[in-house]
């Protein structure tokens, strides 16, 4: 059993890397696709919304399917579909075909995203200790792989379409090769030995109305923290360039600082959760993020901006994995559906973040618009107790419902 569980954990890492690689393969080829189709930046921005809508739709479909058919069916299916549809945006020749291609690719990516997160919840439960943050950290590794592959392909003279086709084909092979290592079915909460709902913090099978309300509260928190993450993705470099007057090369390091801190934080978060509990990680992480983005918003110095973006990334790093984990453990029999709700609303926040900050810049300066992110982080810190499922829980028991 230990060997099969280790194999399932490794396979989950593989699928997270795969998801990051396939999405990264699209991202690094955006300029080439934009030029091929002949659309403006503004039009492309509107088309990218369809990618998000497709992902949201795929997440809502994948969650219930993962609960019904199990990880060995839905996770590799999502990987195969995502790999197969990666080439579609590269083949698009006009805005209409690109719109359809982005929606389809986004849908398949959403299927893979939610199903692998649902499987990660089951792996974490079987391990009996926090492992979710480590999975999320490896997603970023996929983006690095995609960038390196695309650079190598360009140096070798491959066209963007050929590069996307090669990465998609490799993704299909990886998805199929990793299937057997996945856990065959979701653990049955009713046959979990001594781990009763009271001991694990999970709700009984057949989630009650109050438990569903808790899931939606987790989803709202996911929306807020992922809105913050989305805003950092698109506005961090522009903040240094437009507000502090940094050269373009220096400004690019703002996002790099945020992303590096996010990755490091997620690599460390599982151990911190095991020691201090998930409530503490969410609360203190959100508070740290609030302090960091406030320093960015109000600090007039370059060093303050870099420090602020680092604190912002480090603070946010452990928040989303705790919310996903709590949703999945709330009712193991409906882990996929619950994760899809939290991930779906969180993804809406990720997409909305850049737009919300952009709208606010019509009213206030860019750095002052970041105060909204401070308020969202403070609200998340205040609401962190939603992760606690019993008044008599000790700090170590709060780490995740899988803990023993």
């Amino acid at each position: 059993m230990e060997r099969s569980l280790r194999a399932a954990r490794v396979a989950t890492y593989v699928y997270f890397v795969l998801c990051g690689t396939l999405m990264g393969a699209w991202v690094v080829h955006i300029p080439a696709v934009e030029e091929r189709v002949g659309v403006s930046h503004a039009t492309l921005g509107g088309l990218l919304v369809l990618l998000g809508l497709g992902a949201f739709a795929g997440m809502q479909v994948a969650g219930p399917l993962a609960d019904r058919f199990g990880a060995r069916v839905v996770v590799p299916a999502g990987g195969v579909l995502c790999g197969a549809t990666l080439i579609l945006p590269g083949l698009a020749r006009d805005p209409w075909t690109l719109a359809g291609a982005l929606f389809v690719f986004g849908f398949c990516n959403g299927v893979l995203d939610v199903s692998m997160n649902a499987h990660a919840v089951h792996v974490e439960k079987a391990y009996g200790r926090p492992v979710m943050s480590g999975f999320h950290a490896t997603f970023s590794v996929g983006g690095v792989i995609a960038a390196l592959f695309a650079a190598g392909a360009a140096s070798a003279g491959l066209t963007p379409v050929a590069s996307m086709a090669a990465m998609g084909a490799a993704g299909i092979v990886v998805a199929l090769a990793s299937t057997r290592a996945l856990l065959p079915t979701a653990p049955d909460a009713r046959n979990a030995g001594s781990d009763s709902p009271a001991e694990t913090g999970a709700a009984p099978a057949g989630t009650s109305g109050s438990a569903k309300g808790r899931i939606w509260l987790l989803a709202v928190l996911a929306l807020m923290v992922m809105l913050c993450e989305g805003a950092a993705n698109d506005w961090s470099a522009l903040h240094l360039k437009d507000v502090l007057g940094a050269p373009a090369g220096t400004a690019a390091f703002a996002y790099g600082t945020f992303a590096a801190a996010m990755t490091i934080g997620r690599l460390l978060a599982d151990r911190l959760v095991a020691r201090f509990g998930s409530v503490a990680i969410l609360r203190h992480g959100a508070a740290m993020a609030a302090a960091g983005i406030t320093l960015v918003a109000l600090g007039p110095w370059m060093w303050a901006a870099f420090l602020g973006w680092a604190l912002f990334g480090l603070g946010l790093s452990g928040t989303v994995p705790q919310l996903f984990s709590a949703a999945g453990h709330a009712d193991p029999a409906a882990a996929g559906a619950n994760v899809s709700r939290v991930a779906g609303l969180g993804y809406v926040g990720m997409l909305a973040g850049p737009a919300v900050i952009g709208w606010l810049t019509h009213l206030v300066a860019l750095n002052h618009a970041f105060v909204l992110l401070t308020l969202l982080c403070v609200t998340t810190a205040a609401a962190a107790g939603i992760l606690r499922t019993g008044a008599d829980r000790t700090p170590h028991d709060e780490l995740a419902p899988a803990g023993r």
Side-chain angles (χ1 to χ4, degrees):
M1 178 61 185
E2 289 185 2
R3 179 177 298 178
S4 63
L5 185 55
R6 284 197 298 270
R9 185 180 182 185
V10 171
T12 309
Y13 281 127
V14 169
Y15 281 106
F16 271 80
V17 173
L18 174 63
C19 188
T21 301
L22 294 176
M23 179 54 71
W26 152 246
V27 170
V28 298
H29 287 106
I30 285 178
V33 172
E34 182 185 44
E35 182 179 357
R36 175 188 175 93
V37 176
V39 295
S40 66
H41 293 333
T43 301
L44 178 64
L47 292 173
L48 289 175
V49 173
L50 291 172
L51 177 72
L53 291 176
F56 180 82
M59 289 175 180
Q60 304 316 301
V61 170
L65 289 178
D67 293 331
R68 181 171 182 180
F69 297 107
R72 281 189 178 173
V73 175
V74 183
V75 176
V80 169
L81 290 173
C82 198
T85 56
L86 172 61
I87 194 175
L88 296 181
L91 296 175
R93 294 184 176 275
D94 56 64
W96 292 105
T97 54
L98 181 57
L102 289 177
F103 184 87
V104 172
F105 176 65
F107 182 93
C108 297
N109 183 265
V111 171
L112 175 59
D113 196 317
V114 159
S115 60
M116 71 185 187
N117 270 288
H119 182 261
V121 168
H122 298 315
V123 172
E124 184 176 63
K125 180 176 178 60
Y127 260 86
R129 58 184 173 85
V131 295
M132 180 66 80
S133 295
F135 293 137
H136 282 250
T138 57
F139 180 90
S140 302
V141 175
V144 175
I145 293 174
L148 292 175
F149 185 94
S155 299
L158 290 179
T159 65
V161 173
S163 176
M164 295 171 79
M167 278 192 271
I172 292 173
V173 172
V174 171
L176 293 175
S178 305
T179 301
R180 292 187 61 185
L182 297 174
L183 298 177
T185 58
D188 189 340
R190 291 166 294 185
N191 297 314
S194 62
D195 291 338
S196 66
E199 291 170 328
T200 63
T207 310
S208 66
S210 61
K212 289 180 180 178
R214 178 171 175 264
I215 294 299
W216 285 114
L217 287 175
L218 293 171
V220 170
L221 293 181
L223 183 147
M224 291 194 292
V225 297
M226 292 180 74
L227 187 151
C228 292
E229 185 176 342
N233 290 344
D234 282 30
W235 291 104
S236 53
L238 286 172
H239 164 256
L240 256 73
K241 181 176 181 293
D242 294 347
V243 176
L244 299 180
T250 302
F253 281 104
Y255 173 70
T257 299
F258 169 80
M262 175 83 75
T263 302
I264 292 170
R266 285 182 171 169
L267 290 172
L268 298 174
D270 287 330
R271 292 184 180 181
L272 295 176
V273 171
R275 182 174 178 83
F276 300 107
S278 58
V279 174
I281 296 305
L282 181 60
R283 176 172 292 135
H284 296 299
M288 180 187 294
I293 198 62
T294 301
L295 186 59
V296 170
L298 304 180
W301 309 287
M302 198 85 68
W303 66 264
F306 280 113
L307 177 60
W309 286 119
L311 290 174
F312 194 51
L314 194 61
L316 289 179
S317 63
T319 57
V320 170
Q322 305 320 308
L323 295 170
F324 282 18
S325 180
H329 288 296
D331 181 0
N338 289 337
V339 170
S340 71
R341 294 185 182 104
V342 175
L345 204 55
Y347 202 82
V348 170
M350 176 84 72
L351 294 173
V356 170
I357 296 299
W359 179 80
L360 285 176
T361 59
H362 293 293
L363 305 175
V364 297
L366 173 59
N367 56 320
H368 295 154
F370 292 151
V371 173
L372 171 65
L373 307 183
T374 299
L375 296 176
L376 294 178
C377 290
V378 169
T379 302
T380 300
I386 190 66
L387 296 184
R388 187 183 293 112
T389 56
D392 57 346
R393 312 284 296 172
T394 66
H396 290 275
D397 290 335
E398 292 166 7
L399 57 93
R404 286 178 171 82

